[in-house]
Amino acid sequence: MIGILAGMGPKSTGPFVDKVVEECQQIYGAVNNIDFPHMMIYSCPTPFFINKPLDHTAMEEAIIEGARRLEKTGVDFIAIPCNTAHIYFEKINASLSIPVLNMVDETVNKLPTATKKVAVLATQQTIESNIFQNKLTIAGFESVDLSREQHKVDQIIKHIKTGEIKTAQQLWLEVSTNLAETVDTAIIACTDLNVIIDHEEAPFPLVDSSTSLAQAIVSRYLSLEDDI
């Protein structure tokens, strides 16, 4: 059974589960209800505030507590569709006796090989943690400095969380236009941004961390089915 530790943020949980369902259809042709996997979805609110510094201790404790509760339901592995939560990946993974998929690794692995310059679109907290930048460097990509656009990205996320979608869409148009001549590919490294980017065009290729994780979930599920 698949375990999804979600709720970070709350608006991203439903769309992410939809992505997993869509990948089941795409990857192995699921059609009827019985074709789809068993999933346990736990919405885990965390003390995250878009305009405040992270309380790392409180965040880590909340996520680990949620992961342990989810583990007790009997899931075979856990996926956390929140990039910021992966700041604490090593400690989360060490706190459980079942595997945890790494959203950052899965996303970087999806980058086209011809890509050189990559923009990471994420919360300020995720950017400051360097979890993506470090992986990109190891993989041979250049991470583009987005300090001039970061405030707008944070505002997009804030407007999505407060339901101001039209304002978020306008800001996304500004950010994507400004980046068009600077980057080869952009990583969507905040699940809240899917509320916008799933329905808006971009002038450069996007690698979506949510889609990357959803694909990894289905692949892991299929490998478990093969072992039965």
Side-chain angles (χ1 to χ4, degrees), residues 48-62:
F48 174 87
F49 305 92
I50 191 67
N51 293 323
K52 295 182 181 180
L54 279 177
D55 182 335
H56 289 290
T57 299
M59 281 287 290
E60 184 181 301
E61 288 177 352

Side-chain angles (χ1 to χ4, degrees), residues 2-9 12 16 40 42 44 46 59-60 62-68 70 77-93 96 99-104 106-107 191 209-210 212-214 217:
I2 297 167
I4 298 178
L5 186 64
M8 302 169 270
S12 68
F16 181 74
M40 185 64 69
Y42 176 37
C44 178
T46 56
M59 281 287 290
E60 184 181 301
I63 296 168
I64 289 175
E65 179 183 1
R68 285 174 171 166
L70 188 54
F77 66 93
I78 288 176
I80 308 174
C82 171
N83 292 280
T84 303
H86 284 69
I87 295 171
Y88 318 103
F89 180 82
E90 298 302 330
K91 290 188 177 180
I92 297 167
N93 193 42
L96 305 174
V100 182
L101 300 184
N102 190 307
M103 191 177 197
V104 179
E106 298 295 344
T107 303
T191 51
S209 60
S210 291
S212 300
L213 183 61
I217 287 172

Side-chain angles (χ1 to χ4, degrees), residues 150-161 164 167-173 175 192-193 196:
Q150 187 60 48
H151 176 70
K152 288 183 180 179
V153 175
D154 285 334
Q155 288 300 304
I156 292 171
I157 296 167
K158 178 182 177 181
H159 288 307
I160 290 171
K161 288 182 178 293
E164 300 169 282
T167 304
Q169 289 172 325
Q170 182 58 46
L171 282 171
W172 167 248
L173 178 61
V175 170
D192 283 313
L193 290 173
I196 298 298

Side-chain angles (χ1 to χ4, degrees), residues 95-192:
S95 299
L96 305 174
S97 60
I98 58 175
V100 182
L101 300 184
N102 190 307
M103 191 177 197
V104 179
D105 287 345
E106 298 295 344
T107 303
V108 173
N109 288 341
K110 293 292 184 180
L111 286 169
T113 54
T115 296
K116 294 181 180 180
K117 296 182 178 181
V118 182
V120 180
L121 303 177
T123 63
Q124 180 69 40
Q125 295 89 337
T126 299
I127 296 298
E128 290 176 351
S129 74
N130 287 314
I131 55 174
F132 271 96
Q133 295 94 316
N134 292 340
K135 296 283 187 179
L136 288 168
T137 298
I138 292 171
F141 299 103
E142 177 185 344
S143 181
V144 177
D145 181 8
L146 295 186
S147 54
R148 291 185 178 181
E149 302 295 331
Q150 187 60 48
H151 176 70
K152 288 183 180 179
V153 175
D154 285 334
Q155 288 300 304
I156 292 171
I157 296 167
K158 178 182 177 181
H159 288 307
I160 290 171
K161 288 182 178 293
T162 57
E164 300 169 282
I165 306 303
K166 288 186 178 180
T167 304
Q169 289 172 325
Q170 182 58 46
L171 282 171
W172 167 248
L173 178 61
E174 293 178 18
V175 170
S176 59
T177 300
N178 291 343
L179 294 178
E181 297 182 2
T182 306
V183 305
D184 300 317
T185 304
I187 290 175
I188 303 302
C190 174
T191 51
D192 283 313

